[in-house]
Amino acid sequence: MVDLSSRNPDWWRQAVIYQVYPRSFADADGDGLGDLKGITERLSHLGALGVDALWLSPFYPSELADGGYDVADHRNVDPRLGTLDDFDAMVAEAHRLGLKVIVDIVPNHTSHLHPWFQEALRAGPGSPARDRYVFRAGRGAHGELPPSDWQSVFGGSAWRRVPDGEWYLHLFAPEQPDLNWEHEEVRADFRTTLRFWSDRGVDGFRVDVAHALVKDLAEPLRDVAEFGATGEEALERVEPGTHPYWDRDEVHEIYRDWRKIFDAYGPPRTAVAEAWVPGARRALYARPDELGQAFNFEYLQAPWDADALRQVIADSLATAHAAGASATWVLSNHDVVRHASRLSLPAGTDENAWLLSGGHAPAVDAGQGLRRARAATLLMLALPGSSYVYQGEELGLPEVADLPTAVLQDPIWEQTGHVRKGRDGCRVPLPWTTGGPSYGFGAGGAWLPQPSWFASYAVEAQAGTEGSTLEFYRTALRLRRKLLDGETLTWAEAPEGVLHFARSDGWRCVTNVSHAPVPLPPGEVLLASVPLPLDGTLPSDTTVWLGA
């Protein structure tokens, strides 16, 4: 396949990447599930939006035990989503439109339906087939206890017993057995996978759970209770790089090996790590001889507070600079409450409790949430580095918090015994039109029910409408492309509750996070997140870009 995209090897450093959750983007065949042909048909939306690339969450064969992250074949397309020919056509159309394509790679685990795991189950204890995964005998007089106290991210033990008595490790759902990255066949297979997709024209990879691949499998397995915490919380209580299964130093050897593959292509393939680790550790994944970039989740997690945001921005830029990478910024994705809702919640709100209440306790101010979401977005787009936009945020979509429990698909709901509602509320299929059985998502219904108020957020309702969130995003991205220069900023003095900085060529960004209007600094108003009053002030929850 001829790569029609730009050959600039540094395109990713200040790009805007649009995350597509394939099953919820567009449905071309009307079966209620989004597919690759649907994405291809809607790529013009991304071209008009002005993003630089699209990142596809998993589209591989999967039983959807974890929304596609339980992969049964890393080098194929789920038949419900299309074929490899459909994938090639999508990449070709994206490149024709000037869009790069990034795909999810899921190296920590496979589906339990993967041929390797099925072979391991048949082969039995002590077999070479089981060495590709992490199988262990149980503790207790009869092996009836898990091999260690390691916990699943989704709740409960990270070990599942099979009929012959052994246990296998699954740091996520039981349907997602962890691979053994000490096994050379595992490493070789993923080298093949990286080349397979790169040869098909993929421009980069998002590496799922990049910090979890390597485990300390020396016997006896270490319990994490000795650290006084379980799960990822124990990361803060151990010597960096020595946790039994998170963020071990040995993982970096894998990514240095991958970098050789990426750099063998022209232009080099890019990569970004999903690594939920402290900033100093995150920088290691972003080094030029490893993945090159790593997600910065601190901005997403920061409260709507000027001091907190300033600190996160400063720390994130410093971390990226130390790694020789550019910073990454993200406000929403397929795993978190959409920021148009999240930013309207009072500080300290238990988001899971809010979801369990159907989004009623506490009640949210949708207007305030959208206002803050637009201000946060314009601030994000002014920052040096690359920004990741989750599908639907350009429409201002809030979280669908009141999904009935009977329709929930996220395994978190069942695995936690109905304690955590899960992530379905941010995965509801997009509204494209103001009518129809699924608001233009497809000819029929959608795999998750869409609320009636989706109609007012549809692309059809917003395209060409002055002041709409969609047109705001289009304008911001078009202007950003003209303004960006360099990867630094300079902080300016500002009233309490206000962020004010200048970019390298002099244009400025001012965000008022306080509860009262402040004087608007002098300069030509290039863009504001909401219309500005005529009294020369900058309202609360508002961002403005000013000319030099």
Side-chain angles (χ1 to χ4, degrees):
M1 177 182 293
V2 178
D3 184 355
L4 301 179
S5 61
S6 166
R7 300 184 69 82
N8 173 17
D10 293 327
W11 67 267
W12 52 273
R13 293 189 70 91
Q14 297 213 69
V16 177
I17 298 96
Y18 184 99
Q19 181 189 357
V20 171
Y21 192 73
R23 292 165 175 81
S24 297
F25 190 70
D27 172 23
D29 61 13
D31 67 352
L33 198 65
D35 46 45
L36 295 183
K37 285 185 177 180
I39 295 171
T40 304
E41 291 174 359
R42 295 291 189 180
L43 283 178
S44 58
H45 172 71
L46 304 189
L49 189 60
V51 299
D52 300 292
L54 65 148
W55 148 35
L56 271 73
S57 292
F59 51 87
Y60 313 111
S62 171
E63 68 171 341
L64 304 184
D66 182 23
Y69 284 87
D70 48 314
V71 179
D73 183 349
H74 291 83
R75 296 191 289 273
N76 211 335
V77 174
D78 191 307
R80 292 166 293 183
L81 274 66
T83 65
L84 284 170
D85 286 342
D86 294 332
F87 180 85
D88 292 342
M90 182 202 67
V91 172
E93 177 63 6
H95 286 169
R96 187 188 72 80
L97 293 169
L99 298 166
K100 305 291 195 302
V101 178
I102 296 170
V103 299
D104 241 304
I105 195 81
V106 187
N108 180 69
H109 45 260
T110 70
S111 166
H112 68 142
L113 299 180
H114 192 285
W116 276 3
F117 193 73
Q118 290 298 304
E119 179 187 0
L121 292 179
R122 292 191 302 269
S127 63
R130 289 205 172 179
D131 288 342
R132 301 186 189 114
Y133 294 89
V134 183
F135 279 86
R136 289 292 184 274
R139 296 189 292 194
H142 306 287
E144 72 278 10
L145 301 176
S148 72
D149 69 352
W150 299 359
Q151 296 292 298
S152 164
V153 172
F154 291 162
S157 173
W159 297 95
R160 171 63 64 93
R161 201 176 193 187
V162 299
D164 58 42
E166 281 202 325
W167 299 72
Y168 69 86
L169 179 68
H170 62 89
L171 289 182
F172 294 87
E175 296 86 355
Q176 295 170 290
D178 280 50
L179 288 163
N180 173 17
W181 274 85
E182 293 181 0
H183 199 298
E184 178 53 36
E185 192 172 352
V186 171
R187 298 189 180 214
D189 192 71
F190 272 88
R191 294 186 196 107
T192 299
T193 294
L194 295 173
R195 293 188 181 102
F196 178 87
W197 294 112
S198 295
D199 289 345
R200 300 192 92 91
V202 162
D203 301 285
F205 299 89
R206 178 262 190 188
V207 183
D208 185 60
V209 200
H211 61 305
L213 275 58
V214 177
K215 285 86 176 175
D216 180 3
L217 299 178
E219 296 289 353
L221 297 177
R222 287 189 296 154
D223 283 343
V224 294
E226 66 183 82
F227 309 124
T230 60
E232 293 179 307
E233 295 81 4
L235 272 174
E236 302 175 0
R237 306 192 183 185
V238 302
E239 184 71 22
T242 67
H243 187 280
Y245 52 89
W246 293 129
D247 188 36
R248 292 189 59 79
D249 286 337
E250 300 92 329
V251 77
H252 299 288
E253 174 194 349
I254 296 169
Y255 299 132
R256 285 190 288 271
D257 181 52
W258 287 13
R259 174 47 58 187
K260 296 173 185 176
I261 297 173
F262 300 151
D263 287 350
Y265 289 85
R269 286 357 187 195
T270 65
V272 58
E274 182 208 26
W276 290 86
V277 296
R281 296 292 298 180
R282 188 176 67 243
L284 303 179
Y285 297 82
R287 289 179 292 193
D289 66 339
E290 294 193 30
L291 296 176
Q293 201 171 52
F295 276 124
N296 157 34
F297 296 111
E298 281 89 344
Y299 186 66
L300 181 155
Q301 295 170 321
W304 191 239
D305 173 84
D307 290 339
L309 288 167
R310 186 182 292 107
Q311 190 64 54
V312 163
I313 291 168
D315 290 348
S316 300
L317 291 173
T319 296
H321 179 75
S326 61
T328 64
W329 311 102
V330 60
L331 284 164
S332 285
N333 61 37
H334 64 291
D335 283 333
V336 300
V337 171
R338 286 186 175 275
H339 67 280
S341 293
R342 192 177 70 246
L343 292 175
S344 69
L345 295 172
T349 297
D350 181 331
E351 292 178 11
N352 181 61
W354 177 73
L355 290 172
L356 289 172
S357 78
H360 301 302
V364 298
D365 182 335
Q368 181 192 60
L370 181 57
R371 185 183 183 95
R372 287 181 173 178
R374 289 171 58 136
T377 295
L378 200 57
L379 169 61
M380 175 182 76
L381 294 175
L383 295 170
S386 55
S387 296
Y388 286 77
V389 174
Y390 179 51
Q391 65 178 41
E393 72 171 78
E394 79 278 16
L395 306 177
L397 282 182
E399 185 83 357
V400 183
D402 59 353
L403 285 172
T405 57
V407 306
L408 298 181
Q409 305 286 322
D410 193 336
I412 288 176
W413 174 244
E414 293 296 337
Q415 195 157 332
T416 61
H418 301 174
V419 171
R420 291 167 55 195
K421 193 170 184 181
R423 302 159 293 180
D424 291 309
C426 65
R427 301 177 179 183
V428 176
L430 296 187
W432 294 93
T433 63
T434 57
S438 62
Y439 302 105
F441 170 67
W447 68 280
L448 281 172
Q450 301 155 299
S452 60
W453 47 262
F454 255 35
S456 62
Y457 288 88
V459 174
E460 181 182 54
Q462 297 195 45
T465 300
E466 185 177 357
S468 71
T469 300
L470 175 57
E471 291 302 332
F472 162 70
Y473 266 75
R474 288 174 173 175
T475 302
L477 292 175
R478 185 167 56 247
L479 185 57
R480 180 184 187 271
R481 194 181 294 270
K482 295 178 181 178
L483 291 174
L484 282 189
D485 182 30
E487 294 185 17
T488 61
L489 60 75
T490 302
W491 292 103
E493 290 189 14
E496 184 176 356
V498 176
L499 299 164
H500 184 179
F501 60 82
R503 291 296 305 269
S504 55
D505 58 353
W507 67 280
R508 290 167 292 144
C509 176
V510 188
T511 301
N512 182 8
V513 186
S514 73
H515 298 293
V518 297
L520 183 67
E524 177 191 3
V525 174
L526 303 176
L527 182 63
S529 56
V530 295
L532 298 178
L534 300 177
D535 60 2
T537 63
L538 181 66
S540 61
D541 299 333
T542 303
T543 295
V544 64
W545 290 357
L546 300 172

